[in-house]
Amino acid sequence: MKKKDLLFSAIQPTGGITIGHYLGIFKLWNLLQNKYICLYCIANLHSLSILNKNNLINVNIFDLVSLVLSFNIDPHKCIIFLQSDIVEHLKLYWILNCYTYIGELNRMTQFKEKSNKKINNNLSLFSYPVLMASDILLYDSKYVCIGYDQLQHLELVRVISKRFNKIYNCNFFVYPKHIISKRFSRIMSLLNVKKKMSKSDNNTNNVIFLLDNIDLIKYKINNCVTDSDNPPKIIFDINNKPGISNLLNILSGIKNVSIKSLEEYFYKSNYKKFKDILSKELCNFIKLLQKKFNFYRKDKDLIKNILLNGKNRIKNIAKKKILNLNKILNLTI
Ligand code: TRP
């Protein structure tokens, strides 16, 4: 039997996981765990780049792991681990900094956006993609599961990897391929459908958080934007009907049904009826999810053990990679 390929993915434990994260990333995590050797990383070192003491508390890590388990992501099938448990990420990070140009990092749109806010314009915000490169390259990850917003970072990872290999005339680092959810990686805001749904949105009515109170979710759906077509048309048309299309996408994602069958089902319905059904389905989905979440969240030992297990399963891979790196660079880190 062919050995499975390795896939890496990570998410930051900064609180506020949204329906967009579920549809765009975690649904894929769930699928991919059956196909690849999956390393799912809780990227707490990345969260440090945004200086907010709340980012560093364990609550977020426990919450995130509990959510991951609630999505039926199974630690027997994949490896869930905490980034800061493997010091080699930081060792490789420094080395890779030496092969990354300032001009390249300057071009990263996410950096431009974050640094434009000028709240906490620190150096780690700038070199953030280099830490991503270390995460990925440390384990020779053939595939990387990301959202669209991380594609530019992954392209830079490939540049760094290729550059290193070329300089040392070797094949030491892989050239990772990306896996992106075509359908769900752009779930839009509820009130401003031109903007991606984001956990850091100032207006929380734009966002469905998975740990929101159920009544609040009803309220948010009730008030979200559709359009003013008269008679109403519930069809998927991203350019002309972005509001309805986004909601159809959400419903199709949580129910695992095709957009086409939803269009047929809602033929001649009005927006009110559509929203009522969406709201009911979404609330049922989130209620069940929260039930599972509360079950796992109570069991701190379980979560600690999952992370410890994850660490133990990969630490030697990481150590070996750095040992081999030492040989190439004549170092002893
Ligand atoms: N930066 C990613 C995000 O915010 C998370 C991340 C960290 C990541 N390291 C990674 C994603 C490595 C893919 C691969 O979404």
Side-chain angles (χ1 to χ4, degrees):
M1 208 170 79
K2 191 174 161 268
K3 205 172 159 274
K4 286 184 182 172
D5 288 320
L6 202 136
L7 176 141
F8 191 96
S9 190
I11 183 142
Q12 295 187 53
T14 39
I17 298 295
T18 72
I19 192 74
H21 290 117
Y22 168 70
L23 294 170
I25 294 282
F26 293 115
K27 253 173 100 83
L28 271 180
W29 280 26
N30 185 305
L31 274 177
L32 297 168
Q33 66 181 344
N34 299 314
K35 191 164 173 207
Y36 300 105
I37 300 171
C38 292
L39 262 59
Y40 293 147
C41 169
I42 312 292
N44 60 337
L45 294 171
H46 277 99
S47 317
L48 250 171
S49 64
I50 296 180
L51 247 195
N52 170 351
K53 282 191 191 135
N54 284 335
N55 278 348
L56 299 179
I57 50 177
N58 276 338
V59 169
N60 286 329
I61 294 170
F62 283 119
D63 279 358
L64 183 54
V65 177
S66 305
L67 271 173
V68 167
L69 297 173
S70 317
F71 302 136
N72 299 328
I73 292 157
D74 179 352
H76 298 292
K77 289 188 186 168
C78 60
I79 298 165
I80 303 172
F81 76 101
L82 186 62
Q83 190 181 28
S84 64
D85 272 346
I86 307 281
V87 68
E88 282 76 11
H89 288 246
L90 292 173
K91 295 187 181 183
L92 185 54
Y93 167 66
W94 176 257
I95 302 297
L96 294 182
N97 269 310
C98 304
Y99 301 89
T100 311
Y101 298 136
I102 288 176
E104 290 168 335
L105 292 171
N106 255 330
R107 261 179 255 134
M108 296 293 120
T109 46
Q110 201 171 71
F111 171 69
K112 286 189 216 163
E113 280 163 17
K114 285 184 187 169
S115 60
N116 260 340
K117 292 188 184 154
K118 292 210 169 40
I119 306 164
N120 167 38
N121 221 344
N122 65 58
L123 190 53
S124 70
L125 223 46
F126 185 60
S127 62
Y128 178 111
V130 187
L131 186 56
M132 274 180 73
S134 327
D135 297 341
I136 295 164
L137 300 178
L138 186 59
Y139 303 99
D140 299 332
S141 316
K142 195 163 170 192
Y143 297 97
V144 184
C145 172
I146 46 171
Y148 262 115
D149 58 334
Q150 299 298 317
L151 188 55
Q152 196 188 25
H153 291 161
L154 190 71
E155 275 157 6
L156 180 58
V157 173
R158 293 187 189 121
V159 170
I160 300 170
S161 159
K162 202 163 153 192
R163 178 174 300 138
F164 184 96
N165 286 348
K166 189 158 178 235
I167 294 175
Y168 297 97
N169 194 17
C170 60
N171 256 324
F172 188 65
F173 290 126
V174 291
Y175 195 74
K177 298 190 176 100
H178 59 265
I179 295 184
I180 292 180
S181 171
K182 283 201 186 77
R183 273 179 63 197
F184 299 121
S185 77
R186 289 192 66 77
I187 297 295
M188 309 311 277
S189 298
L190 296 178
L191 300 172
N192 179 357
V193 285
K194 292 211 175 79
K195 228 173 52 180
K196 225 184 120 176
M197 189 184 282
S198 154
K199 64 180 171 189
S200 45
D201 200 310
N202 289 332
N203 182 356
T204 54
N205 287 332
N206 265 324
V207 189
I208 303 272
F209 292 104
L210 296 178
L211 298 179
D212 266 347
N213 164 304
I214 297 294
D215 286 331
L216 187 57
I217 294 175
K218 282 185 193 150
Y219 171 84
K220 287 180 182 178
I221 294 295
N222 215 356
N223 287 287
C224 71
V225 168
T226 51
D227 56 45
S228 50
D229 277 358
N230 193 6
K233 266 198 242 121
I234 299 172
I235 52 167
F236 191 87
D237 178 351
I238 273 289
N239 296 324
N240 301 313
K241 295 172 72 72
I244 279 291
S245 302
N246 190 41
L247 299 177
L248 275 170
N249 221 358
I250 293 176
L251 186 55
S252 127
I254 56 167
K255 289 295 288 176
N256 286 319
V257 293
S258 69
I259 297 275
K260 195 163 170 280
S261 67
L262 290 178
E263 286 175 339
E264 281 164 16
Y265 182 83
F266 288 108
Y267 180 65
K268 288 200 168 158
S269 284
N270 59 30
Y271 294 148
K272 163 100 177 50
K273 177 161 177 230
F274 172 69
K275 273 190 177 183
D276 283 349
I277 292 182
L278 171 65
S279 175
K280 191 177 122 235
E281 295 293 350
L282 192 59
C283 288
N284 285 345
F285 173 82
I286 290 185
K287 259 191 234 161
L288 182 66
L289 190 75
Q290 290 184 356
K291 203 171 145 200
K292 292 193 208 166
F293 170 83
N294 290 327
F295 172 80
Y296 292 119
R297 186 64 179 80
K298 274 194 285 229
D299 198 345
K300 281 197 181 165
D301 285 339
L302 172 83
I303 295 170
K304 281 186 194 155
N305 268 327
I306 288 172
L307 294 177
L308 182 63
N309 231 332
K311 170 185 173 181
N312 287 335
R313 284 171 72 189
I314 56 173
K315 65 178 183 209
N316 287 335
I317 307 177
K319 272 192 189 145
K320 198 163 156 212
K321 192 72 184 171
I322 298 296
L323 266 175
N324 287 332
L325 182 68
N326 278 330
K327 284 186 198 151
I328 296 176
L329 298 178
N330 192 26
L331 294 170
T332 52
I333 56 173

